[in-house]
Amino acid sequence: MRNWLEQIGQFMLFIGQFFRSLLRRPLDGLETLRQTHEIGSKSLLLVGISGLSIGMVLAMQTSSTLARFGGRGLLPSMIAVAVLREIGPIITALVVSGRVGAGIAAQLGSMRVTEQIDAMEVAALYPFGYLVRTRILACLIALPILTIYADFLALMGGYVIMFFQQNISLKLYFSSAIRFIDLQTVLPAVAKTAIFGFIIGSIATFTGYYTRHGTRGVGQSAMIAVVLSSLFVIVADVLLVKLTLILFG
Amino acid sequence: MIEIDQVYKAFGAQSVLNGVALRVDAGETVAILGRSGSGKSVLLKCLVGLLRPDRGTIRIDGQEVTALSAAQLDQLRRQIGYVFQNAALYDSMTVEENLAFHLTRHQSMAPDRLRQIIYEKLQTVGVEVALHKYPSELSGGMQKRVGIARALVLDPKIILYDEPTSGLDPITSREIEDLMIELKKRMGVTSLVITHSLQSARRISDRIAVLYQGQIVAFGRFDEIAQSEHPFVQEYLAAVNLEG
Ligand SMILES: Nc1ncnc2c1ncn2[C@@H]1O[C@H](COP(=O)(O)OP(=O)(O)OP(=O)(O)O)[C@@H](O)[C@H]1O
Ligand SMILES: [Mg+2]
C-alpha cells in the first residue's frame, strides 16, 4: 500500500516535470514529429481494422432493432452519433495503449536497464526532454488524428452493411449520418482523445523510464503500462463524458 | 580536483561504501583497484550524481556535487566524460549518431565539421570502420571503444573510466592505455580509472587506490602500494604474481 502511494506521488512529480519541460530547450520538435509518425504508422492498420469492424458490427446489431420500431432511416445518424461521440475515441485509445503503450514502456525500460538513460544524464543531454516529453506529446498529437481516421472507417463499415441490406447510396448515407452531428458533438470528442493520448503517453513513459530489475523488469513495465493505461482511459472516459454533459448538455 | 571524503552508500541492508576517502589532483590519473562487487562502479556513479551517497562529501573542481542545483550539476557534467563499464551505447542510433547526439544536443554545428570531429574521435580509438553500424552489429570490444570515443567527443577536462580495457585483446588494450596517457599529457586531463589489471594501473596512473570492504585501504604510487602491509593488498599482489 505504501509502495502504491509512493508510486502515485512519483507519478505526480513526473507529470509536473513534463509540464515544466515544455519550456525547456532544446525543444526536440523534430524528434516529437518523428515519434508522432512512428506511433501513427504503427497503429494505422490495427486502428483501421478495428474501426471498420466495429462500424459493421454496430450497423448489424442495431438495424434489426431500429427496423422493429420502424426507424430504419435513422440508422446512419445513430451510427454516426455512437461512433463520433464514443466508439471511435475509445476503440482508438484502447488499441493504441496496447500497441504503442507497451512499445514505449519496453523501449524506455530497456534503455534504462542498459544504462543508456544514465549515459545521457551524465552528459547533461536532458534525456527527460528527448525521451519522455517527445513521446507524451506524440501520443497527444497522434490520438486525435487516429481517432478521426477510425471514425471515418467505422462510418464506412456501417455503410457497407447498409449497402448490402438496403442498397442505399453513399451520398444519402453520409447526408443522413451527419444530420444530428454538430461541432458540439465533435469537438469535445476530439478533445477527449487528446486527453486519452496524454494518459497513454504519460503512463507508458513513466513505467518505462523508471524500470528496474533487468529484462524481467522491462516485460513487467510493458505489461503494467498496457493494463494501467487502458484502465485509466476507460475511467477517464466516464468522467469526461459526465463533464461534457454538464458543459454542453 | 576531485575530493572524496567519508562517502557512505548502502543499498537496503547491504552497505557498499563505508567511508571512502580519496583525492585526485588536477592533471593526475588515479587508478582504482578492487575485487568484483567491491563498489567501484558505485563510487564512480556517486561522483557524477547518478547515485546519491548516504553520507559524506564529494567535491569536483571545488563544487560540492550533492549540493548543486540541477542546472549547476549539468554545467559540471558537461566537463566530465564518463566511460560506462558496458559502453551504454544508444542502441537505436548508429555509431555516428551516438557521437553526433552528444555534439549537437546543445549547440549547432556545420555538418562537415561534425563529420570531421566524429571521424577523428573514432580514429583515435581505431573504430572508424564502425561509423555507420548500429551498436548491436559491433563486437563487445568495439562497443567499448565507441563508448570511449563518445566520452571524448566534447573534450572533457575530467574523464571517468569504468574498466576501459577489460575484455579487449592485449594490443587494443595497450592502444587504449596509450590514448589515456596521451590525453593526460597533451590535454592535461584529470582521470579516475577503474581497472582489474595491476599492469595497466601501473602504466597509466600516477597513483593507485585499492578499494576493499567499502574503504580505500591503500593509496599511493605503485611502489608504495607494493610495500603495503594490508593483508588484502598483499593477497591481491600475490594473486597477480602467480598469474604473471
Ligand atoms: N542500483 C543498485 N541497487 C542495488 N544494489 C546495487 C546497485 N548497484 C550496485 N549494487 C551493489 O553494490 C555492489 C557493488 O557494485 P559495483 O557495481 O560497484 O561493483 P564493482 O566494484 O564495479 O564490480 P565489477 O568489478 O564487477 O564491475 C554490488 O554488490 C551490487 O550488488
Ligand atoms: Mg563495475
Side-chain angles (χ1 to χ4, degrees), chain A residues 106-178:
Chain A
Q107 198 196 5
L108 295 190
S110 81
M111 290 187 76
R112 168 64 71 191
V113 302
T114 55
E115 297 183 316
Q116 294 176 48
I117 297 180
D118 287 343
M120 292 184 185
E121 196 80 56
V122 288
L125 299 178
Y126 193 33
F128 188 94
Y130 186 74
L131 299 172
V132 173
R133 177 183 52 190
T134 52
R135 283 170 173 76
I136 294 181
L137 287 177
C139 286
L140 205 146
I141 298 166
L143 250 255
I145 300 170
L146 284 169
T147 304
I148 289 170
Y149 161 76
D151 286 349
F152 173 72
L153 282 177
L155 291 179
M156 288 308 292
Y159 173 70
V160 169
I161 298 299
M162 288 209 64
F163 176 78
F164 283 114
Q165 285 185 350
Q166 299 168 40
N167 200 10
I168 75 167
S169 79
L170 191 60
K171 191 157 169 260
L172 179 63
Y173 175 78
F174 269 101
S175 66
S176 75
I178 61 171

Side-chain angles (χ1 to χ4, degrees), chain A residues 65-94:
Chain A
T65 315
L66 281 178
R68 210 176 306 145
F69 297 109
R72 245 191 174 169
L74 281 176
L75 190 57
S77 26
M78 213 237 68
I79 293 177
V81 170
V83 163
L84 295 183
R85 276 213 167 149
E86 195 47 57
I87 292 177
I90 200 81
I91 283 292
T92 309
L94 291 179

Side-chain angles (χ1 to χ4, degrees), chain B residues 11 14 16 34-43 45 51 85 162-163 194 196 211:
Chain B
F11 296 102
Q14 179 199 11
V16 175
R35 293 189 67 166
S36 186
S38 59
K40 304 180 297 295
S41 298
V42 168
L43 179 62
K45 284 179 185 167
L51 289 174
Q85 189 167 359
D162 197 341
E163 301 191 18
I194 294 176
H196 282 295
L211 183 65

Side-chain angles (χ1 to χ4, degrees), chain B residues 35-81:
Chain B
R35 293 189 67 166
S36 186
S38 59
K40 304 180 297 295
S41 298
V42 168
L43 179 62
L44 228 53
K45 284 179 185 167
C46 286
L47 288 182
V48 288
L50 278 180
L51 289 174
R52 213 187 153 77
D54 302 330
R55 237 165 354 118
T57 57
I58 295 169
R59 284 172 189 283
I60 296 181
D61 233 351
Q63 302 179 78
E64 164 72 57
V65 174
T66 49
L68 295 178
S69 70
Q72 289 169 322
L73 184 58
D74 271 358
Q75 201 57 44
L76 178 64
R77 282 168 167 176
R78 269 175 218 155
Q79 303 165 26
I80 301 177

Side-chain angles (χ1 to χ4, degrees), chain A residues 1-11 206 212-213 224:
Chain A
M1 193 61 207
R2 179 146 158 262
N3 196 13
W4 271 102
L5 288 177
E6 241 173 67
Q7 292 279 314
I8 291 169
Q10 204 185 6
F11 183 65
F206 177 73
R212 292 202 290 178
H213 309 309
I224 293 177

Side-chain angles (χ1 to χ4, degrees), chain A residues 232-243:
Chain A
F232 276 86
V233 159
I234 292 170
V235 173
D237 195 24
V238 178
L239 300 177
L240 289 170
V241 166
K242 185 69 197 163
L243 187 70

